[in-house]
Amino acid sequence: MKVLLNELYKLFIKRKFIIVLAAVLVLEGVNVYSSLAKRIDLDEDSAAVYEEYINKYSGKVTEKKINEIEQLITERSGYETMKENIRREYEVGNISTDDYKTELAELKEKTKGAEGFNKFLGVYYTAVDSDLYIADSTPWNVLFGSGGIDFILVAAVVLMVVALIVYDDESGVNKLKFSAKNGKGKLISSQIGIIVFFSAFTAVCVFAGNLLIARVFFDLDGLSNPLYYAEIFNFSNWDLTLIEGYIYLSAIKTAGCVYLGMLSVVIGQICKSSLYTFFISLIAVYIPGYILSSFHGRYMMPLPSSLLAPNGYFSAMEEGGFEPGDGEVEFVMRVFTEKQIIIYFIAVAAVITALIFVNRLLWTKRRKVV
Amino acid sequence: MNNLLTHETKKLFTRKILLFSVALLLLANGFNIYKQYDIYHDIYNKDTNDARWLMYETVEGEITQEKVNGLLSYQKELMTAQEEGRELDSYYLSLSTDLICVNNLLEDLENTYGYSERIKNILQTNDGQMKIYEKVGNDYLVKKAALVRDTYSDRTIDSFYNTKAYGTYFEYDFSSFLIVLLVFLASSSLFAGEKETGMFRLLRSTPKGRRSLCFAKQGALMIFTFVVSLLFFLCDFLVFLWCIRLRGITNPIYCIEAFEYSPLVMSIGEFMGLSWALKYFGFVLLGLVSCIFSSAFDKSYMVFVSDFAVLLGLMFLSAYSNTVLDYINIINPVNLLISRNMFQSFSVLNFFGTPVFTYAVNISMAAVLFIALTAVLSTLNNENGKAKRWGA
């Protein structure tokens, strides 16, 4: 216990990791807040129109709402027809330039934000077709992300490993551990325990924080709507609600952070350099993540990048199904079949074996310091 | 100075982890390009691809009436056979595939042949607009229209080559990302490494331990960057050449669809050289930013983390278009890494009433940034320069 407390003190106070942790949480918060603030990828008018209608009609679809929205659709399409008619009239010389300009300006005012209205209609039609709630799915799209790897989280985990273990290895302090009474079993298991716990803790804090920010500042609702409400999961047939999907994905990413933390410990203890640990960990995450991004088999490989960017696990229509995207045919596995769980178990076992090996836990006797 | 430069360069080139990383990332890069080729392969299956290339080889080179007529008569023959439901004696692959291929080929030929006509239309419109601008007395727009005329007049494409593969080649950015990583790895410990090993104070107490050493380290980094970027350039070119057949390297750059309206008048091969030179310049600028961090921080891994964070920020800035950010973007070194964007269209800036090509401004600003970064680096490494040397 004393060793564990000492290591915690060393990491958070002496090595000032508490500041890094706070900075990570703040940065992640700012990042998700700014993404949510500009979440609607529309021009100003369209964004205002979308906000207006989504706020007005959110909730259960009722007859009244359907009638009102249908009326809005008719009105808007009527304005478009009127615009066309005026343009034709002007072309044949039935109305003057001034009248044309005035009437066109009036109609433009009435039809402004057409893109926002169309986006709202997309949400409305999905809700009507599936007898669901009308809810703004854009905050969910932001929360699920574009499927990329979160650099801040990756950096935080590797920095933790560097601050707790590699820095000592680099300076030679850790050589003493082989001569100390608690230098092997207790010290190393405490260090690894801290890495595992705080990698998971940081990730959970980030994901819970993101959810909280979306809920408090951006009225995130539709928690019980199905997963396919989010754009990225439009083709998913997983029987999950949005909140369940978010929890599952967060859990997988958390597992990814823990896995990366353990891998970084092995890398750090082999190369004994903070810089190289950071570099190798980074390329171990990013290079396979990029090279294999369109390769379906990557979900069957025990890669940290697959766990850190797990959206593909839930976006397929069915096992081994095809998902349309960017003009390419992408093969996405329906996940967490027994096979994948076994593969990850083997990978984790390999990492633990490597940890035992690099720390010589089983065969080196304590050397007495004379 | 020369000795210092040689020594620092040697130090960089004998770091095993750097050499190992270069080799590993070169392999990763080659594999990645091969994988992209594999995707092409899936879309157009091999036999169809081979038939298309065989047919293409009969018309590539100088565009002549004979070649066009040959293709047109084969198309007619195929269409007649299809209508009559009979088979021809021989095909490149099969009736339907040959017909699709010949149609595509004729479309590409027409597109190439019609280039000068399209440009002529643009110039005609431009001349009309120029007269209106002259009438209303807008000097800037008159100058801009004159620049359009000078840039695009006398443009023709005499030879037909399938230049689509160059589009993919110039769009390929993964190798740039890998080079940046390697440059950061090399530069992170350039100055901070001396602090970590305790050599910093000792070096600063020597006669050449400040500015001269700083310039030597900067020079060594530039040499390292040059060698690495050249290796990756060769890797990209050779693997692309092997995978997706780069043809017609002597054709003008505006033969490539994405560069149709490029203000540049040079061959594809020359543009490859220019693009590589600009990328190299971009890597050097990012390396200098990293050197500044390396001079400021004590820990090389902190330098690397900061470098990477800055890179992500610059990439975000480069992708994010906004009227305010556009002006900041002019000095963004990441733009040099994706220099194709500068040359794909006619883009000018109003420089005191004179239209100046955006790419010229970008490159000039990059040169200014290089001088500024070098000055900052030199100042950082010469602090207390007027004070006596340590121990003196």
Side-chain angles (χ1 to χ4, degrees), chain A residues 15 20 38 151-152 155 159 162-163 167 170 271 273-276 278-280 282-283 286-287 290-295 327-329, chain B residues 15 17 21 24-25 28-29 31-32 35-36 39 174 177-178 181-182 185 188-189 196 299-302 304-305 308-309 312 316 320:
Chain A
R15 303 267 158 88
V20 177
K38 63 171 183 73
F151 170 69
I152 302 174
L159 276 176
V162 165
Y167 193 72
E170 197 173 34
C271 64
S273 155
S274 311
L275 174 65
Y276 300 153
F278 203 88
F279 175 76
I280 296 169
L282 210 64
I283 60 169
Y286 278 90
I287 305 295
Y290 182 85
I291 292 181
L292 304 173
S293 58
S294 58
F295 175 54
E328 283 172 17
V329 180
Chain B
R15 271 167 65 186
I17 185 88
S21 303
L24 183 79
L25 296 188
N29 184 45
F31 175 73
N32 189 46
K35 211 180 91 298
Q36 281 203 17
I39 291 169
F174 185 59
F177 176 70
L178 298 181
L181 280 185
L182 288 167
L185 182 66
S188 296
S189 57
E196 282 174 330
K299 301 274 176 282
S300 35
Y301 74 91
M302 283 310 294
F304 191 80
V305 177
F308 206 78
L312 290 181
F316 174 77
Y320 195 77

Side-chain angles (χ1 to χ4, degrees), chain B residues 263-314:
Chain B
L264 294 180
V265 182
M266 56 170 63
S267 70
I268 295 172
E270 284 165 346
F271 182 71
M272 272 181 176
L274 175 71
S275 163
W276 174 76
L278 289 176
K279 277 185 184 181
Y280 169 66
F281 199 24
F283 299 137
V284 167
L285 289 177
L286 287 169
L288 281 176
V289 172
S290 175
C291 283
I292 290 172
F293 283 133
S294 188
S295 301
F297 295 144
D298 290 344
K299 301 274 176 282
S300 35
Y301 74 91
M302 283 310 294
V303 178
F304 191 80
V305 177
S306 314
D307 290 344
F308 206 78
V310 166
L311 177 70
L312 290 181
L314 291 173

